[in-house]
Structures are given as C-alpha cells and as structure tokens.
Amino acid sequence: MKALRNYLDKIKPNFEEGGKFHAFQSVFDGFETFLFVPSKTAKTGTHIHDAIDSKRIMSIVVISLVPALLFGMYNVGYQHFRATNTTGSFIEMFAYGFLAVLPKIIVSYVVGLGIEFVVAQWKKEEIQEGFLVSGILIPMIVPVDCPLWILAVATAFSVIFAKEVFGGTGMNIFNVALITRAFLFFAYPTKMSGDAVWVSGDSIFGLGQSVDGLTVATPLGQAATTGSVPAFNMDMITGLIPGSIGETSVIAILIGAVILLWTGVASWKTMISVFVGGAFMAWVFNAIGMENNTMAQMPWYEHLVLGGFCFGAVFMATDPVTSARTERGKYIFGFLIGVMAIVIRVLNPGYPEGMMLAILLMNIFAPLIDYCVVQGNISRREKRAIKSNQ
Amino acid sequence: MGQLFSKKNKEVFSAPLGIDNPVTVQVLGICSALAVTAKLEPAIVMGLSVTVITAFANVVISLLRKTIPNRIRIIVQLVVVAALVTIVSEILKAFAYDVSVQLSVYVGLIITNCILMGRLEAFAMQNGPWESFLDGVGNGLGYAKILVIVAFFRELFGSGTLLGFNILNYEPIRNIGYVNNGLMLMPPMALIIVACIIWYQRARHKELQEESN
C-alpha cells in the first residue's frame, strides 16, 4: 500500500496544470480516489465527514453483485452444455460462461467509463464514480446472446441520455442500467426477448458445441406462450434456469442482499416492500383466477422467484439515487414496484417480464412520493402545534 | 424591386430557418414532428404542405387584417386555414394517395398546428402581404427542415432505407450482425433526435442559452 501511495505521489505532478499528461488529469484523479480516500478537505464552514464516501459505497455494491455474477457465469455454461446435450465438468462450464460474459463486462465498462472520462475532462470536473455499479449491472441484466455492438450502443445511449444530460451521477431520474435494458428491449426486441437468445449456441475457444438455431424458453416465457404454469422446482431457487445472466439465482442474490443490508448501503424497507407488493398482487390475481391467463394462475411464490423480480428488488429498486428518499416513501415506492411488476406480467400479453418497466415507472414517481410524505409530515406537525397552543 | 428583397425582408425569411426556428427554438409543432417522421417521404410532403398553407394563410390574413373585427379574428383565421388545409388534403388524395394515407389524420390536423396560428397572430395581423408571405414560407421551411433531419435518421437507422430505397438491408451488412433499431420507429426517438438538434443549435449559438441562475 505504501509503495503504491509513493508511486502515485511521484507521478502526480505530471497530471497537474501544466504537466505533460494534463489531458488525463480526471482519469488520474479518478483512479487515485478509487484507491485511497482523498486527502482534500473543505476549508470553510463546518462539515461532518463520514468515513464511507460514494466510491466506497459503490465498491460495496459491486462486491455484493459478485455472487450473482459468478453464478451467472456458471449458469451460462450449464445451460449451454445442457441444451447442446454435451457433458462438461464444473470447470468447463464455468470457463465457458466466464468467456461468454467477460467481453460484455469489458464492453460495458470501456464504453461507459470512456464517456464518463471524456465528459469529466470536458467539464473540468472529477470523474464521477456512478458507472462502477452500472457497468457491472448492465452485463448482468442482458441475455447471453446479446451482441456486443448492440450492448455498446445501448450503454452509450443510456450514459449520455439518462445520466450526463441530467447532470451526471446522483442527478439521474432513471436507473442507468435499466435504461440500457429498456433501450435494448425496445430497439432490438429480437435480441432481447423470445426463445432464441437465452442460451448461447456458440462454441468459445473450443469449449462447448456450435449449434444453429438453439431455442430455449425462460420459465416466464413458457408460461406466457404455452399456456401452462411451469411446476415449481428447486432449480428456480438455485438459479439453474435460462434467463438474463445475473438474474436467475435467488440464493446468490440473497447473499448480495445480506451484504447490502449488513453494510447499510441498501434500504431493507424498499426491498421488503417490493416483495410484499409483488406477493400481494400475485395473490390477488390468484384469487381472481382469470381463465386463459396462465400468468394470473401462477402461484405468488413462483412469481417472486422467477425472472428479474429478485434482482430488481435487491439491486435496482434500492438504488439510492432513483428511489424514494423519505423513510415512509420507501415503503410506498417499493410496494408499488412489486404491484406494477406483477400487473405488467399478468395483464400485458406482450411482455412476459414486468420488473424493468415497473421500476422505471416508479422512478418517475419517487420525487412525487417524497414530496407527499414531506408535505404530510409538515401539515401533521402544524396541526399538532396549533392544537397544543389552544 | 429592391424593396422586395430588403435586408429586413431577407431576415424575415431566413430567421425561422436558423436562430428563430419554430420547432427547435419556439418548440411549436412538436406533435406532428413526432408523428410523421418515421419515414422520409411523408415528412417531406408534410413539410411542404405546411409551408404552402402557412404562406397562403399568411397572405390572405394579411390582406384582410384591416377588415377583420378584433373579437372574432381567431375564427376568421381558422376558416382561412381550414379552407387551405382542405384544398391541400384533396390535392394530396388526388395526386399522392399513398403518402396521404400514410399521413392520415395529420394532414387535417395541420389546422391545429401551433406554428400556423402563431404566425397569423404574431406576424400576418401586423404586416403587409409580401412580408407575410416570406414569413410563412420561412417558417414552413424551418419546420420542414427539422422534419427532414429527424426523418432522415429515423428512416436510415430504423428501417435501413431512405425514401424507400434500400440502404442498409443487404446480406453482407446483415451477416456482420447489423440489425435495424426498432426504437427509431417509435415516437420517443423522434423526441430525442429533436432534443439533439436543439442541443447542437444551442451549443453553437450562445445567444439562445438562457441565463443560468
């Protein structure tokens, strides 16, 4: 650590005003503050500093995503070997998945951070760290067959139009990773939905087999198209089902949730209320029991474990920037996400999955919810004050 | 003759094409800009129709401006515009039926285009017929210009064609994995392209930027 610090101090003058690498000043600053807590302090006024700044928060979120990501890599391999009827060891499956997912992670980071660096240098600001999390979330919420150039276009679109135009990290109205997915979903529907994209049919560096026209449906897709509810089984919990790369395993996501809650980064209020809202709405649909609508007949616990519900509830809905910030608002925000996700799944025949649209929709309403909660609090206290004065 | 193309008249004509564009600066006529720009051809026809209607409505109202009672001026303007829209709509049906079908209700809805009423109220009611004519043509072309730019990008990247001619839908391009962008065909993308044009224009012309507080 000491050697690293000394090295950074040694090269630092090169990046300052007049140094030869001044054009990369924001890049250097970004890496330096990522590695070490910045030594700069405010000169005026009274400030309270928390030991944990936003770069540290981002790192914790990334760590909490690792279990789901690793499992996702294994599952990509597992699904490929299963669909092509070949046998493979655990290592082979993981290596296959690793090689399939790694390019997506690289593309997402290179494109997203590249734009961030350019903007930071242009506006003469520090690099904003928000993309650390979005960059890892983006590859985890796309199907394995999503082409890299499409991923790059979508990442660039969402970083520019969902984030930079609003003023950068912390100012965005919508979750950046979800805007990427929404862009992909509406711009390239054939690459993002249907039966042909969830399991990779290519061989990578000699691993696996190359198969043309491989189609495997996700359980939700099955329920929406075939008209029969897939039976509940353990694979839905462990995550050995086809789906977007990081979203399948409930267990891996739960490990992430524990890390997030234990470190206090995410709010348990939002998380719990998403699940309560989803369970409630699914139960309502079960009780109504619509004929000819498989999604309505699907039991509530299956709704909660399938698709992106868990992933969205744990990692997307709790995004501190785009979710409600008042404590009571978090309950309302989360509950409505759960309700909307199930409503979209059941009542919209076009989209078997509703989590993405539900979270984006509620992102719009988060400031309104906060406003109502704050105003409610003000008027309640006012009434109390008037009462006690009488 | 010299007076017809005086400096002031030239500016009346050219301002709407540039720094006083009805779509990007005054932000009028947005809804038809979203609706008809999925393809280049209807966008051009729509732009021309609006240009013709704005120009002649401006001339007619300008000629009548001293006789129109102030209280009922809006209804008089509407009658003139409605008559012109009907004529244009009939001409389109007769000579360009396919485009007229594609444009569907949006030809009729030119009546409610804010640019038209805006020009009649703000310009034709105070100025002579020749200036009004120039102003109408300028504003119509300013509107058409934005429509064509938006439609160019939407048709090229959304359908891979331009004016119906195949540009990107060839086997070699498909084989390297290129896919048309479906979002381009939806109205939200038109709004984003218009926003990009506004962004570009404001970055170039500092005088358009509001004071930030």
Side-chain angles (χ1 to χ4, degrees):
Chain A
M1 278 313 236
K2 188 94 183 163
L4 190 64
R5 181 71 257 180
N6 286 339
Y7 177 70
L8 285 175
D9 284 340
K10 204 181 100 194
I11 62 168
K12 195 168 185 172
N14 285 335
F15 294 97
E16 273 156 15
E17 195 75 50
K20 50 184 166 176
F21 298 124
H22 181 58
F24 298 100
Q25 201 253 330
S26 55
V27 181
F28 176 79
D29 191 62
F31 278 114
E32 191 195 10
T33 48
F34 177 69
L35 294 167
F36 294 100
V37 175
S39 55
K40 279 180 233 162
T41 48
K43 296 278 190 303
T44 55
T46 313
H47 294 262
I48 299 176
H49 258 283
D50 196 341
I52 191 157
D53 62 5
S54 57
K55 281 204 174 67
R56 258 35 72 177
I57 290 180
M58 300 290 173
S59 325
I60 289 171
V61 179
V62 171
I63 291 168
S64 69
L65 281 162
V66 167
L69 180 66
L70 290 179
F71 184 85
M73 288 174 172
Y74 167 67
N75 189 41
V76 165
Y78 175 83
Q79 295 298 333
H80 170 81
F81 280 88
R82 203 170 85 149
T84 54
N85 284 326
T86 36
T87 49
S89 65
F90 176 82
I91 298 292
E92 273 177 321
M93 288 178 185
F94 184 80
Y96 180 90
F98 180 77
L99 291 172
V101 176
L102 190 65
K104 292 191 172 48
I105 300 177
I106 294 173
V107 164
S108 141
Y109 269 122
V110 167
V111 173
L113 286 180
I115 294 172
E116 292 259 352
F117 284 170
V118 169
V119 171
Q121 192 70 38
W122 176 38
K123 289 163 101 179
K124 300 200 169 44
E125 284 174 358
E126 280 180 47
I127 283 184
Q128 294 166 330
E129 49 277 31
F131 197 75
L132 277 180
V133 172
S134 307
I136 194 112
L137 279 173
I138 290 168
M140 291 175 76
I141 53 177
V142 297
V144 65
D145 260 3
C146 178
L148 293 178
W149 74 270
I150 287 180
L151 197 65
V153 170
T155 309
F157 175 87
S158 71
V159 171
I160 294 172
F161 287 101
K163 194 164 161 194
E164 296 303 344
V165 293
F166 288 103
T169 301
M171 315 289 251
N172 47 320
I173 301 177
F174 298 107
N175 186 314
V176 178
L178 278 180
I179 289 288
T180 312
R181 194 177 199 284
F183 179 86
L184 289 167
F185 186 79
F186 290 110
Y188 304 103
T190 52
K191 303 284 177 192
M192 283 300 287
S193 48
D195 292 347
V197 294
W198 304 106
V199 175
S200 167
D202 299 322
S203 90
I204 300 173
F205 293 120
L207 281 168
Q209 265 186 331
S210 192
V211 182
D212 277 343
L214 190 64
T215 59
V216 181
T218 64
L220 275 180
Q222 256 173 29
T225 50
T226 60
S228 63
V229 182
F232 184 79
N233 58 35
M234 273 321 278
D235 282 353
M236 292 177 181
I237 300 285
T238 57
L240 293 172
I241 50 172
S244 296
I245 292 165
E247 69 172 19
T248 55
S249 171
V250 177
I251 293 173
I253 292 167
L254 272 183
I255 297 172
V258 169
I259 297 174
L260 285 179
L261 295 179
W262 180 59
T263 53
V265 170
S267 156
W268 61 269
K269 293 173 181 165
T270 319
M271 243 183 246
I272 294 290
S273 37
V274 176
F275 284 109
V276 171
F280 167 76
M281 202 61 218
W283 174 79
V284 168
F285 278 120
N286 288 168
I288 301 170
M290 283 181 265
E291 294 269 326
N292 305 326
N293 190 335
T294 340
M295 293 304 245
Q297 292 153 11
M298 186 183 269
W300 62 271
Y301 49 87
E302 230 173 293
H303 263 301
L304 296 195
V305 298
L306 285 181
F309 199 94
C310 284
F311 195 85
V314 171
F315 297 112
M316 302 290 193
T318 57
D319 175 357
V321 176
T322 55
S323 76
R325 294 179 194 197
T326 49
E327 295 305 310
R328 197 172 304 151
K330 284 174 183 167
Y331 290 117
I332 304 169
F333 176 79
F335 186 80
L336 289 177
I337 287 181
V339 168
M340 280 310 299
I342 303 298
V343 167
I344 295 171
R345 274 187 191 179
V346 172
L347 296 183
N348 190 328
Y351 311 136
E353 176 56 298
M355 202 57 188
M356 166 184 85
L357 296 171
I359 296 175
L360 286 176
L361 181 72
M362 290 319 293
N363 281 347
I364 307 175
F365 287 104
L368 182 67
I369 294 171
D370 282 345
Y371 177 82
C372 291
V373 170
V374 170
Q375 288 303 317
N377 199 25
I378 290 172
S379 66
R380 200 166 43 251
R381 292 182 67 127
E382 238 167 24
K383 269 184 208 146
R384 198 168 64 200
I386 292 166
K387 220 174 179 181
S388 64
N389 279 346
Q390 280 168 353
Chain B
M1 227 20 217
Q3 244 196 332
L4 282 184
F5 295 100
S6 66
K7 204 171 166 218
K8 186 174 158 271
N9 281 355
K10 270 185 193 154
E11 203 176 295
V12 163
F13 175 75
S14 64
L17 289 172
I19 59 163
D20 198 20
N21 190 288
V23 182
T24 60
V25 178
Q26 300 171 18
V27 198
L28 298 174
I30 290 291
C31 54
S32 58
L34 306 191
V36 301
T37 52
K39 291 268 190 302
L40 199 47
E41 198 184 354
I44 293 171
V45 172
M46 181 74 175
L48 289 179
S49 311
V50 170
T51 308
V52 170
I53 294 170
T54 322
F56 286 104
N58 261 4
V59 171
V60 173
I61 292 298
S62 172
L63 288 170
L64 294 176
R65 70 186 188 277
K66 290 185 180 133
T67 54
I68 300 174
N70 203 30
R71 282 187 313 181
I72 58 159
R73 65 183 196 283
I74 300 279
I75 206 80
V76 174
Q77 291 162 4
L78 269 179
V79 169
V80 172
V81 175
L84 286 164
V85 166
T86 312
I87 294 170
V88 168
S89 169
E90 293 300 316
I91 292 174
L92 283 182
K93 270 183 200 150
F95 297 104
Y97 185 71
D98 291 342
V99 180
S100 141
V101 169
Q102 281 182 48
L103 286 171
S104 67
V105 296
Y106 290 98
V107 177
L109 284 178
I110 294 176
I111 298 173
T112 61
N113 196 318
C114 316
I115 298 170
L116 269 155
M117 296 302 285
R119 288 339 287 170
L120 295 178
E121 276 286 291
F123 199 91
M125 289 299 283
Q126 286 92 35
N127 290 283
W130 173 244
E131 287 88 353
S132 300
F133 178 76
L134 287 179
D135 180 77
V137 174
N139 275 286
L141 288 180
Y143 169 82
K145 180 177 127 186
I146 302 301
L147 248 63
V148 168
I149 297 174
V150 174
F152 173 83
F153 287 110
R154 285 184 73 188
E155 185 171 357
L156 183 61
F157 295 113
S159 323
T161 57
L162 278 179
L163 285 171
F165 292 109
N166 191 354
I167 306 283
L168 292 172
N169 297 323
Y170 288 108
E171 273 305 302
I173 301 176
R174 296 206 159 217
N175 286 346
I176 56 170
Y178 181 80
V179 192
N180 286 325
N181 187 326
L183 197 59
M184 279 284 177
L185 297 177
M186 297 184 204
M189 211 58 189
L191 204 56
I192 288 171
I193 296 173
V194 171
C196 288
I197 299 171
I198 295 176
W199 186 359
Y200 170 78
Q201 198 181 18
R202 289 186 163 226
R204 269 195 59 183
H205 300 277
K206 293 266 184 270
E207 67 269 26
L208 290 176
Q209 295 173 8
E210 291 97 352
E211 297 270 313
S212 58
N213 40 14

